[in-house]
Amino acid sequence: MGTEEVPDEDPVAAIYHRALPHVYGYLLSRCGDVSLAEDLAAETFMAAVAAVREPGRPEAPSITTGWLVGVARHKLADHWRRSIREERSHAAAGARAGGWAGDALDDPWDEWLDTEAAYAALRSLSAPQRAALTLRYLDGLPVADVAAHLGRSLHATETLLARSRAALRTVYREEGRHDR
């Protein structure tokens, strides 16, 4: 056989096996749904391939695990925005009735939380509530960035966060049988 020159490995393929557990773990810990996390991880890597192969791009992005997790964050935020639009659409069509009956703004989150019960409670919230809480408290984004990710005003996001915390607390107490 001849001395064929092997082309450089695709940068996405080069990092795929190393980065996949991080990307998938990031997504799963925030959405709590295995199939959704798998779908979004696949979308993340497809976006990376598209970015590397984008015609007319002078230089391909540096594909790192951090860059891929950033893409995954955007994919998850996009998913939540779609879910929010769908929920609003259903609500407008009358498929969902009811209003908000929130508790007073008493927010003593110094209490001990059982992680599994907290994730179960989080999964039971609506997509907008999960998105807001996850971006704010798991990702540590400032409220203004959460608002930008969700396509909401700052005031609407603050209200959503307050209501989401109260709803999470209520579900956590009811589902987890916690009396705190």
Side-chain angles (χ1 to χ4, degrees):
M1 295 202 196
T3 57
E4 292 182 38
E5 197 172 298
V6 178
D8 289 340
E9 187 176 9
D10 184 333
V12 178
I15 195 170
Y16 176 80
H17 292 291
R18 230 182 16 237
L20 180 61
H22 297 284
V23 171
Y24 175 76
Y26 171 85
L27 291 165
L28 183 61
S29 69
R30 279 144 179 85
C31 72
D33 181 331
V34 170
S35 65
L36 177 60
E38 289 171 350
D39 290 346
L40 294 175
E43 286 181 30
T44 298
F45 283 96
M46 289 188 320
V49 168
V52 167
R53 295 182 179 163
E54 186 178 323
R57 184 177 208 142
E59 185 177 316
S62 176
I63 306 295
T64 65
T65 300
W67 185 85
L68 288 165
V69 168
V71 172
R73 174 186 291 162
H74 289 285
K75 294 293 179 188
L76 185 57
D78 290 344
H79 166 76
W80 280 328
R81 275 193 289 275
R82 281 190 306 273
S83 296
I84 291 166
R85 279 193 303 272
E86 288 172 11
E87 283 186 19
R88 285 182 185 158
S89 182
H90 289 296
R96 200 177 85 203
W100 168 254
D103 296 331
L105 271 175
D106 177 22
D107 195 16
W109 276 95
D110 294 335
E111 300 176 37
W112 172 84
L113 292 177
D114 175 17
T115 304
E116 283 302 313
Y119 277 118
L122 187 62
R123 283 190 298 270
S124 73
L125 300 180
S126 70
Q129 291 173 325
R130 277 194 317 273
L133 291 173
T134 301
L135 290 169
R136 177 69 180 108
Y137 297 106
L138 291 179
D139 289 349
L141 296 180
V143 177
D145 290 353
V146 173
H149 275 291
L150 298 179
R152 292 175 166 257
S153 71
L154 182 63
H155 179 69
T157 302
E158 289 170 338
T159 301
L160 175 63
L161 282 165
R163 291 177 176 176
S164 299
R165 285 189 304 267
L168 179 66
R169 184 180 310 109
T170 299
V171 171
Y172 178 77
R173 287 178 179 154
E174 290 172 0
E175 300 275 326
R177 311 286 188 264
H178 299 282
D179 57 358
R180 294 184 199 184

